[in-house]
Amino acid sequence: MESGRPQAVQLVTVDEGAEGQRIDNYLLKVLKGVPKSRIYRLLRKGEVRVNKSRVKPEFKLGVGDIVRIPPVRVSDPAEKATAFVSDSMADTLQNAILFEDDRLLIINKPSGLAVHGGSGVSLGLIEALRKLRPEAKFLELVHRLDRDTSGCVMLAKKRKTLKTLHGLLRGDGVDKRYLALVEGRWSPRKEQVKLPLLKNVLNSGERMVKTNPEGKYALTRYQVVRRFSGATLVEAKPVTGRTHQIRVHCQAAGHPIIGDDKYGRDEVNQRFRERGVRRLFLHAYRLRFELEGEWIEVEAPLSEDLQLFVSNES
């Protein structure tokens, strides 16, 4: 049930931070705590107007547009603010910054931190950074990493940058490289896995992905980096960007990623826990792309626990 006090009519002038954004998404951000169904009802009934006219949910805003937002009961932020950014998390995120300018922020996301809240996670990377940077007018995730995967995550500080990077990601404009420790001996002749992937949602709400001829085209390129007893460190380059792509392609190749409790083998994961690998050994270690005529390349160092395993086993 919604709580808090109803707001007065608002007339909001759109700035460049919201240029090109759909009105439904804009309202979801402005009216935090209001159910999505309520927002679509406001649009359908014409209670929300842009430049005094009715608009559909897919209408895209322009700089200078005047948005009329009717009185609507919103959740009191104080009631929702059960999550907070601890000093240790603030320090961790500050020290994890790999690159920053007025357009873009790239973070070396730690394993175990979701990129956004939801599904029982009250505070993700994007929410934490917004709390730490309340002055930021615009801060949005460019792409995602699984919660247990560590490494490079891009966040746009301008809508123009977000749209540009989405365009690069849809093509081959961003060179993304991962390091994965996989079970067994990966053959140097196995340079790619090209298998379609189909996403399923179990009754529990858990997402599972399987190779399936009816799935979406997916291609991952691989290169052997180093060999260990019972495992191989490989570099993975996802050419496509499907959910759990690298993890499922490694499993399909007969070499599940060590520490993968969804697609790996429990007995193997247990053996490597005893050798110091206590999490999914998948790390987005490098990004390279051209943005507005400037080449940007960053590398994220392995976390101490993974680096310790690599050093001790060498």
Side-chain angles (χ1 to χ4, degrees):
M1 185 175 181
E2 294 170 310
S3 60
R5 60 182 183 279
Q7 305 294 305
V9 170
Q10 299 179 69
L11 295 175
V12 182
T13 302
V14 175
D15 60 20
E16 65 177 16
E19 183 182 14
Q21 189 170 25
R22 285 172 50 131
I23 183 64
D24 54 352
N25 292 330
Y26 177 78
L27 293 171
L28 284 167
K29 187 173 181 180
V30 171
L31 299 176
K32 285 181 169 41
V34 176
K36 187 180 292 187
S37 58
R38 173 76 171 129
I39 285 173
Y40 282 102
R41 191 159 67 246
L42 292 173
L43 286 165
R44 189 171 61 251
K45 294 172 67 177
E47 294 183 58
V48 171
R49 303 214 169 200
V50 179
N51 302 329
K52 299 184 179 180
S53 298
R54 287 175 175 251
V55 292
K56 294 183 177 181
E58 61 270 20
F59 177 85
K60 292 187 178 180
L61 297 168
V63 174
D65 283 346
I66 306 297
V67 181
R68 178 195 185 274
I69 302 176
V72 59
R73 189 174 293 275
V74 299
S75 297
D76 185 343
E79 296 176 4
K80 303 283 284 186
T82 54
F84 68 96
V85 182
S86 65
D87 290 342
S88 62
M89 179 183 280
D91 289 343
T92 296
L93 293 180
Q94 182 61 38
N95 293 330
I97 295 174
L98 300 170
F99 175 89
E100 183 170 15
D101 63 11
D102 62 348
R103 305 162 297 175
L104 182 65
L105 176 64
I106 305 178
I107 292 277
N108 182 7
K109 184 189 80 67
S111 174
L113 177 63
V115 290
H116 59 79
S119 300
V121 178
S122 58
L123 192 73
L125 175 67
I126 185 65
E127 290 86 7
L129 287 170
R130 285 172 179 161
K131 284 178 179 287
L132 292 172
R133 299 180 175 215
E135 76 287 352
K137 289 186 176 181
F138 186 90
L139 191 62
E140 296 286 349
L141 287 164
V142 175
H143 60 121
R144 302 181 181 189
L145 284 184
D146 294 339
R147 181 175 182 175
D148 293 330
T149 303
S150 56
C152 300
V153 174
M154 295 186 285
L155 300 102
K157 299 165 78 172
K158 293 182 177 180
R159 180 157 297 280
K160 177 184 176 183
T161 304
L162 181 66
K163 292 170 70 174
T164 298
L165 288 169
H166 279 170
L168 293 176
L169 286 165
R170 280 193 294 271
D172 57 358
V174 180
D175 186 347
K176 294 188 290 184
R177 305 292 176 108
Y178 292 70
L179 289 174
L181 184 71
V182 301
E183 177 188 338
R185 181 181 176 84
W186 188 286
S187 170
R189 293 191 298 275
K190 185 177 285 296
E191 297 180 343
Q192 67 177 35
V193 176
K194 183 169 65 173
L195 291 169
L197 300 177
L198 185 65
K199 184 162 55 176
N200 299 289
V201 180
L202 306 182
N203 292 333
S204 63
E206 182 183 11
R207 290 185 304 172
M208 290 290 291
V209 178
K210 293 183 178 180
T211 59
N212 189 302
E214 297 180 0
K216 294 183 178 179
Y217 168 79
L219 170 63
T220 309
R221 295 199 170 101
Y222 291 93
Q223 183 175 338
V224 173
V225 177
R226 191 179 303 178
R227 299 194 185 281
F228 302 96
S229 174
T232 308
L233 185 66
V234 297
E235 179 190 82
K237 178 185 177 180
V239 178
T240 51
R242 310 302 180 199
T243 300
H244 298 172
Q245 176 175 317
I246 297 173
R247 297 166 67 181
V248 179
H249 274 176
C250 286
Q251 179 198 43
H255 303 281
I257 298 176
I258 302 298
D260 193 336
D261 59 7
K262 191 184 291 276
Y263 302 106
R265 295 200 298 162
D266 291 343
E267 61 273 21
V268 176
N269 291 341
Q270 178 57 41
R271 287 204 302 272
F272 277 87
R273 270 195 291 272
E274 295 167 2
R275 292 166 63 178
V277 181
R278 298 181 175 88
R279 48 154 286 204
L280 176 71
F281 200 131
L282 180 61
H283 179 68
Y285 88 96
R286 194 177 84 184
L287 285 172
R288 186 174 187 270
F289 55 94
E290 185 179 10
L291 181 63
E292 298 175 352
E294 175 189 357
W295 280 98
I296 296 173
E297 182 171 350
V298 295
E299 289 197 7
L302 286 171
S303 57
E304 288 185 12
D305 55 336
L306 299 188
Q307 185 56 56
L308 188 62
F309 170 85
V310 171
S311 300
N312 288 344
E313 296 277 334
S314 295

